[in-house]
């Protein structure tokens, strides 16, 4: 989650919990408080260069994925209210984005998307391929805060892996899902020997991470709760 801190340009919104099964009445659905980026530093450039429709689609992608990252799912009605437009327009935007290969996770569509590679992994892959933060933000519709968070998570996984931690240990120490840790490890294996990615990995590995022995010893100390 984004935690308690709310960043500039963000709002607090109550969305349906991603754990809620389909078919339940709205009044029975558990909700979660999430932070959504209503305005990002790159929005003005998208508006001036690509127009209002492109900006709205960027916001649809950004908000839907931010909600999912925090354990929530927006509905098409939520997005319509947030973006001051109609549900029909949102539905059309989502359809057009899907035709471009971009899936928008909403309460009505998530089950249809299936277990493909996560949006986090796709963004990290772009960074490893040489794209800069601003390029990634423009191409994916994700906010700078989200992009930085995904790259930070990937970097942590790489540092633990380079020091001999197993997938299970990394999952417990990072509180990530098995699936996401495995995707990050697969990316690491794919890109670690590519010349164009060496500078990226040098940046990652230059930051310190506790050795396996010291970290596991700390976890076993009296009064320390293991994950």
């Amino acid at each position: 989650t984004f935690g308690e801190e709310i960043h500039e340009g963000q709002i607090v919104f109550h969305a349906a919990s991603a754990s809620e099964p389909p078919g339940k009445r709205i009044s029975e659905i558990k909700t979660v408080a999430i932070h959504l980026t209503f305005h990002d530093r790159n929005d003005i450039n998208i508006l001036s260069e690509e127009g209002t429709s492109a900006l709205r689609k960027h916001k649809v992608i950004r908000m839907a994925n931010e909600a999912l990252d925090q354990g929530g799912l927006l509905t098409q009605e939520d997005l319509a209210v947030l973006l001051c437009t109609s549900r029909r327009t949102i539905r059309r935007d989502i359809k057009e984005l899907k035709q471009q290969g971009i899936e928008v996770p909403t309460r009505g569509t998530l089950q249809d998307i299936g277990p493909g590679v996560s949006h986090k992994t796709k963004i990290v892959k772009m960074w490893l391929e040489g794209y800069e933060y601003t390029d990634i933000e423009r191409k994916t519709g994700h906010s700078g805060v989200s992009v930085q968070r995904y790259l930070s998570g990937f970097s942590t996984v790489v540092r633990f892996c380079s020091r001999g931690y197993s997938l299970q240990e990394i999952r417990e120490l990072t509180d990530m899902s098995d699936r996401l840790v495995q995707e990050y490890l697969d990316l690491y294996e794919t890109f670690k020997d590519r010349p164009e990615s060496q500078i990226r990995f040098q940046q990652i590995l230059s930051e310190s991470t506790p050795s396996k022995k010291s970290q596991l010893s700390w976890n076993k100390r009296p009064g320390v709760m293991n994950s």
Side-chain angles (χ1 to χ4, degrees):
T1 66
F2 283 9
E4 296 299 324
E5 181 182 1
I6 188 165
H7 298 275
E8 181 180 354
Q10 289 188 326
I11 61 172
V12 177
F13 189 83
H14 288 266
S17 170
S19 64
E20 289 287 340
K24 294 182 70 173
R25 290 185 295 183
I26 296 296
S27 60
E28 299 174 344
I29 292 176
K30 174 187 174 183
T31 62
V32 292
I34 57 176
H35 295 172
L36 299 176
T37 306
F38 188 75
H39 175 72
D40 184 68
R41 61 187 179 184
N42 204 36
D43 288 354
I44 188 65
N45 295 326
I46 296 170
L47 178 62
S48 61
E49 295 173 14
E50 302 178 44
T52 56
S53 177
L55 177 57
R56 186 182 61 249
K57 290 176 183 176
H58 269 74
K59 288 189 173 185
V60 165
I61 297 168
R62 182 170 72 213
M63 291 183 177
N65 281 292
E66 285 179 342
L68 181 60
D69 286 346
Q70 298 169 79
L73 282 173
L74 298 177
T75 64
Q76 292 181 3
E77 289 82 359
D78 290 336
L79 288 165
V81 170
L82 286 164
L83 299 175
C84 299
T85 189
S86 67
R87 183 175 180 272
R88 180 179 180 181
T89 297
I90 296 298
R91 186 166 59 246
R92 185 183 67 233
D93 286 346
I94 291 174
K95 181 179 179 181
E96 291 177 359
L97 288 166
K98 185 173 183 178
Q99 291 171 346
Q100 298 170 26
I102 301 173
E103 298 285 1
V104 178
T106 66
R107 181 164 170 78
T109 63
L110 185 63
Q111 290 188 329
D112 296 330
I113 293 176
V117 174
S118 73
H119 61 278
K120 299 178 184 180
T121 301
K122 292 177 181 177
I123 285 174
V124 173
K125 181 174 181 289
M126 291 179 68
W127 183 72
L128 292 174
E129 290 172 337
Y131 288 93
E132 298 299 335
Y133 278 28
T134 52
D135 297 325
I136 296 172
E137 291 172 38
R138 289 290 297 273
K139 289 179 178 292
T140 66
H142 288 256
S143 68
V145 172
S146 294
V147 172
Q148 290 175 17
R149 191 171 65 255
Y150 304 154
L151 295 179
S152 176
F154 172 73
S155 299
T156 299
V157 169
V158 168
R159 288 195 293 271
F160 278 129
C161 176
S162 69
R163 287 161 173 77
Y165 287 78
S166 68
L167 184 151
Q168 182 65 21
E169 289 170 335
I170 296 173
R171 187 196 68 76
E172 293 176 353
L173 290 167
T174 61
D175 200 29
M176 296 181 189
S177 66
D178 286 346
R179 174 188 168 191
L180 183 58
V181 172
Q182 186 61 64
E183 286 184 9
Y184 282 170
L185 291 175
D186 290 344
L187 266 187
Y188 181 40
E189 286 299 316
T190 300
F191 282 89
K192 68 179 182 180
D193 295 323
R194 294 189 182 182
E196 66 271 21
S197 302
Q198 292 309 300
I199 293 178
R200 302 296 200 197
F201 285 118
Q202 288 172 11
Q203 293 172 354
I204 290 172
L205 296 174
S206 66
E207 299 180 29
S208 62
T209 301
S211 67
K212 181 174 181 178
K213 182 177 180 180
S214 64
Q215 180 68 44
L216 294 180
S217 296
W218 169 257
N219 285 345
K220 293 177 182 178
R221 287 178 57 186
V224 176
M225 183 179 295
N226 293 324
S227 300

